[in-house]
Amino acid sequence: MDNLKMPLEDLGIISDRISYRTVEKNEFIVSAGSISGCTYFVEKGVLRMYSISESGKEHIIQFAPELWLIADRRSTYLHEPSAFYIQAIEDSEVVFIQKGFIEDIIRMYPDTAEKITLLLQRHIMLMQHRVNMLLSATAEELYLDFLETYPHLLNRVPLYMIASFLGITPESLSRLRSELNR
């Protein structure tokens, strides 16, 4: 969002719909059952979104490193209780974007519409790609896709979280990594 140019005095009109926060490692910004009114833009750090099954197993839906968006859109736009947790994996600088902010920016600064649309479309495309991969790819293909999608996360995210994201056990991930290193 740093590429979006607008006069600072105009930002005051909509500043009540955006805030910047430091989110500490392991801090939750959304908990399952709460209503989230924001989309989150990561300026620095890494967030994760996950659910917990009835059996207590974690299912990581998304990682959000720098310059990524993350949100429970159903909760934000339909005001329904969230099914997800959004948590900082490391100390993070996060922009909290309330519903309506993006629409206001586009209305006030039409030249920003393309940049904002590209950011949102990128988010949607990556989520669609992830669903397709989960339905059709092997564990090896999922891991290689993870490395391509998130090239800087391997040393920032615990391996058990990567395994959860891939839908495999940590032991399977360890075996897979060993095989690929040969």
Side-chain angles (χ1 to χ4, degrees):
M1 295 195 85
D2 54 302
N3 292 346
L4 306 178
K5 304 286 188 235
M6 61 197 73
L8 290 176
E9 63 273 8
D10 290 348
L11 195 56
I13 298 169
I14 52 176
S15 65
D16 61 329
R17 291 195 179 169
I18 189 170
S19 61
Y20 298 85
R21 270 194 49 212
T22 297
V23 181
E24 294 181 12
K25 180 179 180 175
N26 298 322
E27 182 180 345
F28 290 91
I29 57 176
V30 175
S31 293
S34 67
I35 295 179
S36 171
C38 294
T39 296
Y40 308 95
F41 178 79
V42 181
E43 288 195 339
K44 180 181 176 218
V46 181
L47 303 179
R48 69 177 176 143
M49 181 167 68
Y50 68 97
S51 63
I52 299 177
S53 69
E54 287 184 20
S55 66
K57 186 176 178 186
E58 255 183 41
H59 300 280
I60 296 179
I61 309 302
Q62 180 189 354
F63 291 110
E66 290 83 3
L67 306 179
W68 281 56
L69 293 171
I70 191 167
D72 179 344
R73 301 221 178 269
R74 178 177 293 256
S75 184
T76 301
Y77 289 92
L78 301 178
H79 299 286
E80 294 181 3
S82 181
F84 304 105
Y85 297 87
I86 298 178
Q87 181 185 35
I89 295 174
E90 59 188 31
D91 290 346
S92 301
E93 298 293 326
V94 180
V95 181
F96 287 60
I97 305 167
Q98 291 184 14
K99 181 180 173 186
F101 176 82
I102 291 172
E103 293 82 358
D104 287 346
I105 289 290
I106 290 171
R107 188 171 42 259
M108 292 171 68
Y109 302 96
D111 59 322
T112 65
E114 184 177 353
K115 292 176 186 174
I116 291 171
T117 300
L118 286 174
L119 184 64
L120 293 171
Q121 292 301 329
R122 177 178 171 258
H123 177 75
I124 292 166
M125 288 184 292
L126 287 167
M127 294 306 288
Q128 287 176 332
H129 175 73
R130 173 153 165 69
V131 168
N132 190 52
M133 290 293 292
L134 287 172
L135 293 172
S136 62
T138 65
E140 181 177 334
E141 290 167 334
L142 287 167
Y143 180 68
L144 294 173
D145 186 68
F146 169 84
L147 294 176
E148 184 178 324
T149 303
Y150 299 106
H152 304 295
L153 289 190
L154 191 58
N155 295 322
R156 296 170 66 188
V157 174
L159 290 179
Y160 79 90
M161 288 185 188
I162 295 171
S164 170
F165 180 78
L166 300 176
I168 62 177
T169 65
E171 296 78 19
S172 294
L173 177 58
S174 183
R175 276 192 303 276
L176 176 61
R177 288 168 43 99
S178 292
E179 290 171 12
L180 289 173
N181 284 336
R182 284 189 216 137

